């Protein structure tokens, strides 16, 4: 694939979409002082190159879902096949080959009382060529999701951010997801910027109903918009998961400290033999080594750290894209 070099306009657009995934290109253009056609053209180029995608997602706690971070140890010759099967499921996200391709890490969403979700967790240990499975319930997200990776938010000034930031605050309320929202959520998971006319066609609703429903879900924090980004295009080639064992009385303190680090995209408390998981991204292996030895290891309350480098991402936050294209565009490190 043709290499895409990001310039100031690209980075400004990415920053703007991080703030509001459905912001109009007209507002972004006015803020960046370029034409609307330029912004639209840049977005299409980034999306077609597999560098950027906006996705609309249900907030797990508001939708009643429980998230599990699942690690599978698999035979190396079966890792890709098993990972692709997991990526095709609607209840998974962040399906990645880690640890040199001998492990798979993914997030599985289940609903209490729903047999199908627990079925996946029961069936995984019996899957051919799967050697072992460990599932860690995500207890609390200290940092991540729409507040995500700070490397995406360095292009705009505070004044420019205020021109883009959504006017409404995402707060709790009485609005809840229903079964009739399923087609809407399925389309937003594929393309969070899909137009109201296309969403109306997919749901069978009128454009007015779609717009009103989406605004209500977003306003009450039931649905949020996130961006999937190729971190390699942003200049980051060392991506890893850190599994940390932290003294319980210092867990919140350590989590908040890690969440303040520019290298970190996710900090979450989990069940299991380790109690904190961190998703870190660095410029290269030297920078990763420096981060681990000088910043993470300086936190005395951490008494065990396991690193699991990411080899390939097959599925991010939204719906799985074409796996053939995903494999072609993925970064092998």
């Amino acid at each position: 694939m043709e290499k895409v070099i990001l310039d100031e306009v690209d980075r400004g657009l990415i920053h703007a979409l991080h703030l509001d995934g459905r912001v109009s290109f007209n507002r972004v253009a006015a803020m960046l002082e370029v034409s609307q056609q330029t912004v639209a053209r840049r977005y299409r180029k980034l999306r077609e190159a597999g560098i950027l995608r906006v996705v609309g997602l249900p907030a797990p706690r508001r939708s009643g879902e429980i998230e599990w971070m699942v690690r599978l140890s698999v035979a190396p010759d079966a890792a890709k096949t098993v990972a692709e099967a997991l990526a095709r499921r609607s209840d998974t996200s962040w399906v990645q080959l880690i640890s040199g391709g001998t492990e798979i890490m993914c997030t599985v969403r289940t609903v209490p009382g729903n047999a199908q979700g627990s079925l996946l967790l029961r069936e995984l240990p019996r899957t051919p060529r799967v050697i072992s499975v460990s599932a860690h319930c995500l207890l609390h997200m200290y940092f991540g999701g729409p507040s995500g990776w700070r490397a995406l938010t360095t292009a705009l000034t505070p004044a420019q951010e205020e021109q883009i930031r959504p006017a409404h605050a995402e707060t709790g309320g009485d609005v809840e997801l229903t079964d009739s929202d399923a087609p809407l959520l399925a389309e937003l998971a594929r393309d969070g910027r899909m137009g109201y006319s296309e969403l109306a066609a997919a749901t069978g609703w009128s454009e007015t109903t779609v717009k009103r429903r989406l605004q209500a879900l977003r306003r009450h924090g039931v649905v949020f918009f996130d961006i999937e980004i190729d971190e390699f295009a942003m200049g980051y080639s060392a991506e890893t998961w850190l599994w940390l064992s932290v003294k319980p009385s210092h867990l919140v303190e350590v989590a908040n400290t890690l969440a303040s680090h520019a290298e970190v995209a996710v900090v979450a408390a989990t069940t299991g033999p380790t109690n904190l998981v961190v998703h870190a991204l660095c410029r290269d292996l030297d920078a990763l080594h420096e981060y681990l030895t000088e910043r993470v290891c300086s936190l005395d309350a951490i008494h065990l750290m396991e690193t699991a480098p990411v080899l390939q991402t097959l599925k991010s936050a939204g719906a799985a894209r074409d796996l053939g294209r995903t494999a072609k565009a993925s970064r092998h490190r």
Side-chain angles (χ1 to χ4, degrees):
M1 296 182 67
E2 179 186 355
K3 185 177 181 180
V4 176
I5 304 297
L6 303 182
D7 63 13
E8 292 183 2
V9 173
D10 296 320
R11 292 178 183 274
L13 171 59
I14 290 169
H15 190 159
L17 292 173
H18 176 77
L19 295 171
D20 182 357
R22 288 186 67 86
V23 64
S24 71
F25 289 152
N26 187 48
R27 284 178 62 194
V28 176
M31 180 267 298
L32 294 177
E33 298 182 346
V34 297
S35 70
Q36 181 178 347
Q37 291 78 9
T38 295
V39 172
R41 184 173 65 252
R42 295 296 184 91
Y43 175 75
R44 287 195 300 269
K45 182 177 182 179
L46 293 174
R47 197 176 191 283
E48 290 170 1
I51 292 175
L52 171 68
R53 179 171 68 155
V54 177
V55 292
L57 305 167
R61 290 292 190 267
R62 289 302 314 276
S63 59
E65 294 178 321
I66 298 174
E67 291 181 290
W68 298 81
M69 301 192 75
V70 180
R71 293 182 67 177
L72 296 84
S73 178
V74 296
D77 61 341
K80 187 72 173 295
T81 301
V82 175
E84 288 180 347
L86 287 169
R88 292 189 182 97
R89 293 184 61 101
S90 62
D91 56 355
T92 63
S93 59
W94 292 108
V95 180
Q96 297 176 311
L97 294 177
I98 63 175
S99 304
T102 60
E103 282 192 274
I104 299 168
M105 200 286 291
C106 72
T107 300
V108 177
R109 300 181 303 278
T110 66
V111 177
N114 185 317
Q116 182 178 1
S118 59
L119 181 63
L120 172 60
L121 297 179
R122 290 200 306 268
E123 285 187 345
L124 282 172
R126 298 195 295 269
T127 303
R129 312 294 284 168
V130 171
I131 299 169
S132 65
V133 178
S134 60
H136 312 260
C137 183
L138 199 157
L139 297 176
H140 181 74
M141 181 75 76
Y142 290 93
F143 185 71
S147 64
W149 187 28
R150 290 186 180 85
L152 304 177
T153 59
T154 60
L156 304 182
T157 66
Q160 288 176 314
E161 286 187 335
E162 287 306 311
Q163 296 181 52
I164 298 300
R165 202 181 302 278
H168 62 269
E170 296 183 347
T171 59
D174 297 330
V175 175
E176 301 290 345
L177 290 173
T178 67
D179 291 342
S180 62
D181 292 311
L184 175 65
L185 295 175
E187 295 303 312
L188 293 175
R190 283 189 283 270
D191 182 0
R193 291 191 61 84
M194 186 172 289
Y196 290 120
S197 60
E198 297 167 295
L199 292 173
T203 59
W205 300 342
S206 68
E207 289 188 39
T208 301
T209 299
V210 168
K211 184 175 183 179
R212 185 169 59 245
R213 180 58 176 168
L214 183 53
Q215 288 176 339
L217 292 173
R218 191 177 186 187
R219 183 170 59 252
H220 291 276
V222 182
V223 168
F224 69 94
F225 289 86
D226 203 355
I227 61 173
E228 298 176 351
I229 191 77
D230 183 339
E231 67 277 358
F232 191 75
M234 298 286 291
Y236 292 78
S237 62
E239 177 184 4
T240 189
W241 287 94
L242 309 178
W243 298 85
L244 308 176
S245 181
V246 180
K247 187 176 181 180
S249 60
H250 292 272
L251 181 66
V252 174
E253 176 188 356
V254 171
N256 288 331
T257 298
L258 292 169
S260 70
H261 293 175
E263 296 86 352
V264 167
V266 171
V267 180
T270 69
T271 60
T274 57
N275 54 6
L276 204 62
V277 64
V278 176
H279 185 202
L281 301 106
C282 297
R283 293 286 183 182
D284 51 34
L285 291 176
D286 288 337
L288 175 60
H289 177 262
E290 180 179 343
Y291 174 63
L292 296 177
T293 57
E294 297 187 9
R295 304 192 69 190
V296 179
C297 292
S298 68
L299 300 174
D300 294 336
I302 298 175
H303 56 80
L304 178 67
M305 177 177 69
E306 178 187 358
T307 59
V310 176
L311 177 68
Q312 183 180 356
T313 298
L314 287 90
K315 183 181 184 181
S316 299
R321 310 186 209 192
D322 176 73
L323 288 175
R325 178 179 177 180
T326 302
K328 184 177 180 182
S330 293
R331 288 83 57 212
H332 295 267
R333 301 181 177 87

